[in-house]
Amino acid sequence: MSETPQKNSITHEELISDIEGFNSLAKILLERTGIYMDSSDKNFSLMSNRMHRVLRKHDCSSYKDFIKLIESGVADIMNEFLEVLTTNTTHFFRENEHFTFLKKTLSIIEKDLEKEKRNEIRVWCAAASTGEEPYTILMTILEYLGNYPKLSIKMHATDLNTQVLEKAKLGIYRPEISENITPDLLLKYFDKDLKTQNYQVKEKFRSMIEFSKFNLRNETYSFPYKFDVIFCRNVMIYFTQNVVEETILKLSGCLSKKGYLFIGHSEAMIGDKHKLKSVIPAVYQHMT
């Protein structure tokens, strides 16, 4: 009886030492997402850790074999590569001073919308990951609006990674989120599974957010209207300076005249083509 063929058993050590293959994949990643991975021991290890399982899954014995799959146009290979290499570290109320500022600023936004005779606040979370940030934004706005809101909410949440978007749509989180969310908000916005102790965002709140795939490297950002609030935090830190400048310029073009752009505290604004001014650290508006 013949033995079942074994998949190629490429090791982490072999991948880490494959500098040429790393550089080729890093170039593809940069071109498709704007994420830059320099040739460092840290990134050699990161690439190996993320790609090892993928290579074994597709019976590839090297990065070169996987690159051939990408170039051959095999369905979903490129998406799988991009999804496994994008980092998704997030939690509820991360960099909480931004949400404190947003809540204080909503009264100003509301007055501006009244002048425009518009009763809809428009929000875009451009790096939604597994949903913690967009749901935090939603809770912040709803808490301001109270039980009898004058405004409705139009909210988009996007990410390049379709796997994390599916998790965001489900809105199921581990019990540890109680460390970052107050008991009253947990009770109001989440259902608790008594068996697993997990929390799930209540359906009526999940339905208030439109989740969809979006690549910040798109040549143009096409939306039917401008946004009053844009969050694009902790993703541009992985971009080159030129890509950061291009991204900020396109984000500013999606911002309403008096809207607010939130970026990560560790991210820097590059260039002056965007014509934005700092309001507080990592929050910007159009110059008037």
Side-chain angles (χ1 to χ4, degrees):
M1 186 172 66
S2 61
E3 294 183 359
T4 303
Q6 297 295 311
K7 285 183 177 292
N8 289 317
S9 55
I10 183 74
T11 66
H12 283 291
E13 290 72 20
E14 289 172 313
L15 291 180
I16 289 173
S17 63
D18 184 2
I19 310 304
E20 182 181 353
F22 169 90
N23 288 332
S24 296
L25 286 176
K27 182 180 179 182
I28 295 171
L29 184 68
L30 177 63
E31 291 171 348
R32 298 302 291 264
T33 70
I35 295 173
Y36 174 63
M37 295 183 73
D38 62 6
S39 298
S40 64
D41 289 343
K42 176 183 176 182
N43 284 332
F44 295 151
S45 179
L46 175 63
M47 180 80 79
S48 172
N49 288 336
R50 297 287 180 88
M51 290 298 298
H52 186 256
R53 177 184 58 80
V54 178
L55 265 61
R56 287 179 63 86
K57 173 184 173 182
H58 294 288
D59 200 19
C60 295
S61 60
S62 65
Y63 287 145
K64 185 177 181 180
D65 285 350
F66 187 76
I67 292 168
K68 288 179 181 178
L69 282 182
I70 292 176
E71 293 174 343
S72 70
V74 175
D76 297 327
I77 288 292
M78 177 64 81
N79 283 341
E80 187 172 7
F81 165 67
L82 297 179
E83 289 178 356
V84 79
L85 261 295
T86 50
T87 303
N88 300 288
T89 301
T90 185
H91 59 75
F92 286 94
F93 292 96
R94 183 181 184 184
E95 298 179 357
N96 189 45
E97 55 269 34
H98 275 172
F99 300 104
T100 301
F101 175 78
L102 175 60
K103 192 167 185 178
K104 290 179 179 178
T105 307
L106 285 167
S107 60
I108 299 173
I109 294 176
E110 186 174 21
K111 289 177 182 178
D112 290 335
L113 295 183
E114 286 177 1
K115 293 176 183 177
E116 295 181 23
K117 296 182 179 180
R118 173 158 61 93
N119 66 351
E120 179 181 77
I121 181 170
R122 297 163 181 168
V123 182
W124 177 23
C125 179
S129 188
T130 46
E132 287 90 337
E133 183 161 284
Y135 288 127
T136 301
I137 298 168
L138 180 64
M139 286 189 287
T140 301
I141 296 174
L142 289 174
E143 285 303 291
Y144 166 79
L145 294 176
N147 295 326
Y148 305 100
K150 296 180 181 179
L151 298 177
S152 60
I153 303 171
K154 184 71 173 179
M155 188 165 179
H156 292 267
T158 64
D159 202 282
L160 174 65
N161 189 324
T162 55
Q163 291 182 359
V164 298
L165 283 174
E166 289 305 312
K167 292 181 180 179
K169 291 176 185 178
L170 287 174
I172 299 174
Y173 302 99
R174 296 177 64 82
E176 289 79 6
I177 67 169
S178 60
E179 297 173 7
N180 298 307
I181 304 177
T182 60
D184 58 320
L185 292 182
L186 281 173
L187 183 64
K188 184 174 181 179
Y189 293 99
F190 295 81
D191 292 318
K192 187 173 184 178
D193 186 319
L194 296 179
K195 183 177 181 180
T196 65
Q197 298 298 304
N198 289 337
Y199 292 94
Q200 182 172 28
V201 179
K202 292 181 178 180
E203 196 280 331
K204 67 177 180 179
F205 300 119
R206 283 184 278 131
S207 65
M208 296 178 72
I209 302 177
E210 181 182 332
F211 290 97
S212 61
K213 182 179 179 179
F214 187 87
N215 190 343
L216 290 168
R217 288 293 283 141
N218 287 352
E219 187 173 340
T220 59
Y221 296 178
S222 299
F223 294 95
Y225 42 71
K226 306 286 187 180
F227 293 96
D228 305 299
V229 175
I230 298 176
F231 272 69
C232 187
R233 305 192 309 168
N234 305 307
V235 61
M236 290 184 290
I237 191 174
Y238 304 105
F239 292 176
T240 62
Q241 290 188 0
N242 286 340
V243 174
V244 170
E245 185 171 359
E246 292 169 4
T247 303
I248 291 292
L249 185 60
K250 287 182 279 191
L251 288 170
S252 69
C254 297
L255 200 61
S256 65
K257 186 177 180 181
K258 295 184 179 181
Y260 295 86
L261 171 63
F262 295 74
I263 67 173
H265 281 93
S266 58
E267 295 168 324
M269 298 284 275
I270 305 296
D272 58 1
K273 295 180 181 179
H274 47 70
K275 305 298 182 184
L276 298 173
K277 63 180 180 180
S278 175
V279 181
I280 65 167
V283 180
Y284 294 84
Q285 273 188 305
H286 284 296
M287 294 179 183
T288 54

